[in-house]
Amino acid sequence: MRKMVGRSRWQNNFSEWFNEIVQVAEIMETRYPVKGLYVWLPYGLKLRNHVISALKELLERTGHREVLFPLLIPENLFKKEAEHIRGFEGQVYWVTHGGHDRLDIRLALRPTSETAMYPMFSLWIQSHADLPLKIYQVVNVFRYETKMTKPLIRLREVTTFKEAHTAHATAEDAERQIREAIQIYKQFFDRLCIPYIITKRPSWDTFAGAVYSIAFDTLAPDGRTLQIGTVHNLGQNFSRVYDVQYERVDGSYEHVYQTCYGISERAIAALIMVHGDDIGMCLPPEFAPIQVVIVPIPYKDVQAPIEQTCTEIYERLKQAGLRVELDLRDLRPGNKYYYWERRGVPLRIELGPTDHANQRVTAVRRDTGERIHVPLDRVAERVPQLLREIETSMRRRAWEEFRKRIKTIASVDELQNAIHNRNVGRVPWCGNEKCGLEIEERVEGSVLGEELFTEAPKNRSCVVCFQQANKWLVVARTY
RNA sequence: GGGGUCGUGGGGUAGCUUGGUCUAUCCUGCCAGCUUUGGGAGCUGGUGACCUGGGUUCAAAUCCCGGCGACCCCA
């Protein structure tokens, strides 16, 4: 049996690895001549579409309806909510001209869509019967990043922003919606086999205009966390400004309570990085553009029958609903192995003279390198089974690796040490903003927030002020 | 926000310090042919590059300035 592929470059030269794989696996063309903009290639776009479908399915199943808003937002609407604009104004692209004419009102390329949508909400929502309103869209958004850009991770055009927006009659219902959103995102990332930690962002890192923000973070091989999803409770901050009111049963009026939540193509970045190794990607079968590749090994005297059998297998798997590719190119088998392995195809089926003589194929798992002989007449049942096994073990392995790198720690010094060693630190915290900010001063990481869905620390003292701690604060280097 | 390094065929590079036989090196890729096929085969032939704009100079891949782009470090 072949040993699992190494991960030294993946881990120690992650940035280089990532940039190379994104290109070599034909996810994106990174040479587009504008900073922070990239081209989706056919293979990458298929991957992207599968990811989008999975989330759409989860959103539709929970009563969200898809819409599509314009890209341009007039300045006066965009600037209505003071906090919101304060958070975004430094990174907005403005359209100032139409042809030769200077526009009277500048138009923003949406950095996010609250200010485009909520004026419409005020037209759409009249009575309590219109609530809750739950919509989403998958669009591009623009943010003028001044920092170094990186494909799929830090972009000036986020091309795959899956944003949901909801409106509710009561604060309680908005809270319920937050919990639903978290459940949806959990299921989504579970399907992607991406591990995550959920935190409530600290007050100084809340989404501009939100009451509070909750975020999902995963971990890159280089020890930085990657924010892959956010859920915001907007309270009535926006509905007051955009005058989104509804009429109650008793005839009185109230502003709606809102939430919004979004996921970008960072989910795809996570998919690539979390499951990668030194050769390249390894994609969970649900999302792999090609789930199975068949590689014939055509020795001269048996070439025709082997290719014939491969074609039959190909047809059979295709009929079983799998995304399968038959590689008949005139290349050596080894060359083809590397080719498909880099692209993350989860399962390879080889058929050579020995297999042929024994009426079997050799299946090779991308995640473990394990070789499995499958009788020809059982291929159609065994392959889907193997794909399920691959998914399960990919998910388990990813979570195991993730958990190992979340370190529970009792002092600031140890925290700095853990972060330095490419881990995520989890420290007892009193809940005071001052202590949180001091931690950011004293270690080379940032506060992700207070960990949610976990037991509060017992008999522990805050690592800064040594008062009774009631929360776990998660700290890491971040993207 | 501050500092630094760099830009040569599709990818990776040599050449730059000391300007001139650079008609630009090597590896890889790609195309054609032969030969091969159980982990990146071999041989032959072919294809293809000095980021951009200005400046210095008899002469610029090489020196200077701007732009665009890439990467790294610090806050």
Side-chain angles (χ1 to χ4, degrees), chain A residues 47-49 78 90 109 120 125 129 142 232 258 288 339 352 383 411 433 435 457-458:
Chain A
L47 174 61
R48 173 182 184 266
N49 289 343
F78 184 73
L109 297 187
M120 297 297 102
I125 295 169
F142 289 83
H232 310 290
Q258 291 177 277
Y339 181 91
V383 165
S411 77
E433 186 169 304
C435 291
K458 277 182 205 142

Side-chain angles (χ1 to χ4, degrees), chain A residues 6 36 52 107 135 152 173 180 214 218 229 277 285 289 308 387 400 463:
Chain A
I52 292 173
L107 299 168
I135 62 170
L152 300 173
D173 199 48
E180 180 182 276
I214 289 168
T218 193
D277 61 27
Q308 172 62 30
L387 290 176
E400 274 169 15
V463 288

Side-chain angles (χ1 to χ4, degrees), chain A residues 23 38 66 147 180 206 222 247 276 345 353-354 391:
Chain A
Q23 283 230 56
Y38 307 91
E66 189 174 13
K147 295 268 181 199
E180 180 182 276
T206 296
D222 63 359
E247 185 176 356
V345 176
T354 317
E391 177 177 329

Side-chain angles (χ1 to χ4, degrees), chain A residues 108-124:
Chain A
L109 297 187
R110 62 182 161 216
T112 173
S113 301
E114 286 74 15
T115 60
M117 288 183 165
Y118 302 162
M120 297 297 102
F121 277 26
S122 77
L123 301 177
W124 297 344

Side-chain angles (χ1 to χ4, degrees), chain A residues 327-389:
Chain A
D327 190 349
L328 292 174
R329 290 176 301 170
D330 186 24
L331 297 171
R332 310 263 300 210
N335 196 330
K336 295 182 185 178
Y337 299 165
Y338 279 94
Y339 181 91
W340 295 110
E341 280 168 0
R342 287 200 291 198
R343 285 163 177 74
V345 176
L347 191 69
R348 174 174 79 238
I349 290 176
E350 301 172 12
L351 204 161
T354 317
D355 298 313
H356 189 254
N358 292 296
Q359 288 294 295
R360 65 166 202 219
V361 299
T362 302
V364 185
R365 286 174 60 157
R366 172 68 179 92
D367 61 331
T368 60
E370 192 182 351
R371 305 175 73 87
I372 302 140
H373 296 304
V374 180
L376 272 183
D377 56 8
R378 295 199 54 213
V379 168
E381 61 182 291
R382 190 72 181 110
V383 165
Q385 218 171 55
L386 280 169
L387 290 176
R388 283 192 295 276
E389 287 171 25

Side-chain angles (χ1 to χ4, degrees), chain A residues 277-454:
Chain A
D277 61 27
D278 282 352
I279 289 180
M281 301 197 298
C282 175
L283 294 171
E286 181 185 350
F287 301 93
I290 297 168
Q291 298 169 305
V292 184
V293 63
I294 303 168
V295 178
I297 298 155
Y299 279 84
K300 246 193 218 144
D301 43 335
V302 284
Q303 176 158 359
I306 280 179
E307 290 190 357
Q308 172 62 30
T309 309
C310 284
T311 307
E312 283 167 26
I313 297 168
Y314 171 80
E315 293 298 339
R316 228 180 299 158
L317 292 177
K318 204 160 186 155
Q319 276 190 351
L322 296 177
R323 297 188 290 273
V324 51
E325 175 95 10
L326 172 55
D327 190 349
L328 292 174
R329 290 176 301 170
D330 186 24
L331 297 171
R332 310 263 300 210
N335 196 330
K336 295 182 185 178
Y337 299 165
Y338 279 94
Y339 181 91
W340 295 110
E341 280 168 0
R342 287 200 291 198
R343 285 163 177 74
V345 176
L347 191 69
R348 174 174 79 238
I349 290 176
E350 301 172 12
L351 204 161
T354 317
D355 298 313
H356 189 254
N358 292 296
Q359 288 294 295
R360 65 166 202 219
V361 299
T362 302
V364 185
R365 286 174 60 157
R366 172 68 179 92
D367 61 331
T368 60
E370 192 182 351
R371 305 175 73 87
I372 302 140
H373 296 304
V374 180
L376 272 183
D377 56 8
R378 295 199 54 213
V379 168
E381 61 182 291
R382 190 72 181 110
V383 165
Q385 218 171 55
L386 280 169
L387 290 176
R388 283 192 295 276
E389 287 171 25
I390 289 168
E391 177 177 329
T392 306
S393 71
M394 283 180 70
R395 182 178 301 116
R396 190 175 47 231
R397 175 170 110 160
W399 271 103
E400 274 169 15
E401 286 168 354
F402 184 72
R403 288 200 183 97
K404 266 189 227 155
R405 297 175 63 191
I406 311 277
K407 306 287 189 192
T408 299
I409 279 163
S411 77
V412 176
D413 284 349
E414 281 176 71
L415 176 62
Q416 165 57 24
N417 208 22
I419 290 169
H420 189 76
N421 291 322
R422 304 197 282 210
N423 293 309
V424 175
R426 189 173 170 266
V427 294
W429 178 47
C430 62
N432 264 323
E433 186 169 304
K434 211 172 123 250
C435 291
L437 285 167
E438 188 175 330
I439 288 173
E440 286 197 339
E441 293 288 314
R442 289 169 56 186
V443 303
E444 55 182 306
S446 310
V447 168
L448 297 186
E450 80 176 76
E451 189 179 10
L452 297 178
F453 310 108
T454 188

Side-chain angles (χ1 to χ4, degrees), chain A residues 145-193:
Chain A
E145 291 286 350
T146 53
K147 295 268 181 199
M148 197 196 304
T149 52
K150 200 174 188 61
L152 300 173
I153 292 176
R154 180 164 286 113
L155 306 157
R156 284 185 168 180
E157 181 188 10
V158 175
T159 63
T160 317
F161 194 49
K162 304 168 274 280
E163 52 177 332
H165 297 260
T166 70
H168 306 269
T170 61
E172 294 69 41
D173 199 48
E175 282 295 337
R176 187 206 49 74
Q177 190 58 43
I178 295 287
R179 290 193 297 276
E180 180 182 276
I182 291 169
Q183 282 311 311
I184 291 168
Y185 282 3
K186 275 183 164 179
Q187 289 172 45
F188 176 65
F189 292 119
D190 286 344
R191 278 168 75 164
L192 290 163
C193 306

